[in-house]
Amino acid sequence: MSEPLTVRARLAAPVEAVRHALTDPAELRVWLAEHAEVELPNRYEFWGRYTPEGDAPHQRLLHADERTLRFAWTLDGVETTTEFEWTPEEKSTVLTLRQSHFDFAEAMSGSSIRGALQTFWALSIANLAAQVEGKPLLPRTDFTSTDLRAELTIAAPTDRVWTSLTDSEQATAWFGYPIGIEPWVGGRYAMGGFETGYAAKVIDLEPGRKISVDWGPVGVSTWELADSDGKTKLTLVQSGFDQGNPPYAAWCGNVSGLYELRRFNEMADWQPIWLSEELPTRA
């Protein structure tokens, strides 16, 4: 069943910078898409390998003003609607995304590329936040490739990052969703918590260095840590999935989660950027 999707995030940048990043084609090519062309109020298009069905631009601009941008986006033969609204605060900007035609069942089954909309936008907004704050961006998802691998550096010791990955309370905090973790081989990795959540299985674990979780049809997620001059190099890999139907929705969500994982470990006064109760879902 198609559901409206609403996600809100607080970006640590003035509203003028956020609007510029959302509407300038050169900026869009950094955080959103391989290709972008914008001529407001008539044209807003993006496409390329980092865009679902990005063989060509499939957007049609519907409305643009000083606080709102809305466009139609045809995916898998259905015209969806995407809207951005940006609201200034004293030292930041609240960005609201509204996306039509999102179906969580399609995200779980991989039956339509529209199932990737929620986590595609989660990853994109995380990279928008990094762009306007002058921080390193996360790897974007290549929708033309089945090589699902991402690397980033976290300015924190490896033991601290390891704890945040494997401790249920800390993982729940930065992930923004209850997670129950039994950090041993054969233990549960439960999205939603041990009582009601979906329990994947820990299939490999090297304390302080590596954990692999088997999610069933969407494959195995492996987080691997290495020390790098007092910082932590994190490598995330998804493997063991159907090569004919890559789990792009789950992958985008996992990569988008690395943004808060990095902030959680690097910031003494960490607060999540996500404001919506409908936080990005990752599997």
Side-chain angles (χ1 to χ4, degrees), residues 178-202:
I179 304 178
I181 303 172
E182 295 175 336
W184 56 79
V185 174
R188 293 172 293 170
Y189 194 104
M191 296 299 299
F194 290 129
E195 299 302 321
T196 59
Y198 170 79
K201 183 179 180 181
V202 177

Side-chain angles (χ1 to χ4, degrees), residues 2 11 13 71-72 75 78 94 96 148 159 168-169 198 203 212 221 235 256 275 283:
S2 179
L11 311 184
F71 55 89
L75 287 168
V78 174
V94 172
T96 302
L148 304 184
D159 58 348
S168 298
E169 184 176 348
Y198 170 79
I203 60 170
S212 297
S221 299
T235 302
S256 71
L275 302 177

Side-chain angles (χ1 to χ4, degrees), residues 2-270:
S2 179
E3 306 167 6
L5 170 66
T6 301
V7 175
R8 298 172 67 236
R10 176 174 286 112
L11 311 184
V15 70
E16 295 81 6
V18 173
R19 184 181 189 278
H20 180 70
L22 282 163
T23 57
D24 180 80
E27 293 277 313
L28 290 170
R29 293 178 201 126
V30 175
W31 66 267
L32 178 62
E34 185 178 17
H35 309 290
E37 295 296 338
V38 178
E39 297 175 5
L40 300 181
N42 300 312
R43 184 184 187 193
Y44 191 88
E45 297 177 337
F46 54 91
W47 69 100
R49 56 189 172 136
Y50 304 130
T51 303
E53 292 191 344
D55 57 307
H58 298 297
Q59 298 83 27
R60 179 170 56 87
L61 185 60
L62 300 174
H63 175 79
D65 59 32
E66 290 302 310
R67 291 288 182 266
T68 308
L69 176 72
R70 184 167 61 254
F71 55 89
W73 183 8
T74 299
L75 287 168
D76 200 12
V78 174
E79 187 173 83
T80 76
T81 302
T82 306
E83 181 180 274
F84 282 110
E85 181 181 0
W86 46 93
T87 304
E89 292 190 335
E90 184 177 357
K91 296 182 179 180
S92 61
T93 301
V94 172
L95 180 71
T96 302
L97 165 77
R98 300 180 181 92
Q99 174 68 60
S100 73
H101 293 83
F102 171 72
D103 190 332
F104 187 70
E106 291 177 343
M108 296 302 292
S109 68
S111 58
S112 171
I113 195 62
R114 292 190 303 275
L117 278 170
Q118 184 183 39
T119 54
F120 167 77
W121 283 124
L123 176 55
S124 298
I125 292 172
N127 272 334
L128 170 62
Q131 175 74 354
V132 298
E133 294 173 12
K135 303 291 180 61
L137 273 65
L138 301 171
R140 291 180 287 181
T141 296
D142 185 344
F143 286 90
T144 69
S145 174
T146 59
D147 182 16
L148 304 184
R149 180 185 181 89
E151 296 180 352
L152 81 160
T153 298
I154 300 173
T158 303
D159 58 348
R160 182 189 304 172
V161 178
W162 174 256
T163 300
S164 66
L165 277 172
T166 57
D167 177 80
S168 298
E169 184 176 348
Q170 291 193 29
T172 294
W174 62 260
F175 203 78
Y177 190 73
I179 304 178
I181 303 172
E182 295 175 336
W184 56 79
V185 174
R188 293 172 293 170
Y189 194 104
M191 296 299 299
F194 290 129
E195 299 302 321
T196 59
Y198 170 79
K201 183 179 180 181
V202 177
I203 60 170
D204 190 15
L205 186 140
E206 299 177 31
R209 180 177 174 272
K210 178 181 177 183
I211 181 171
S212 297
V213 177
D214 188 349
W215 299 97
V218 300
V220 175
S221 299
T222 298
W223 293 265
E224 189 166 356
L225 308 182
D227 180 72
S228 179
D229 296 324
K231 300 179 181 180
T232 300
K233 179 182 177 182
L234 185 149
T235 302
L236 172 63
V237 177
Q238 193 82 3
S239 61
F241 52 82
D242 178 3
Q243 295 290 307
N245 188 24
Y248 292 125
W251 177 250
C252 286
N254 275 334
V255 177
S256 71
L258 300 182
Y259 182 72
E260 287 290 26
L261 172 65
R262 184 172 62 190
R263 294 178 73 250
F264 181 83
N265 281 282
E266 292 184 347
M267 299 176 65
D269 56 349
W270 172 82

Side-chain angles (χ1 to χ4, degrees), residues 266-279:
E266 292 184 347
M267 299 176 65
D269 56 349
W270 172 82
Q271 291 291 328
I273 68 167
W274 306 110
L275 302 177
S276 172
E277 293 182 359
E278 299 179 43
L279 293 172

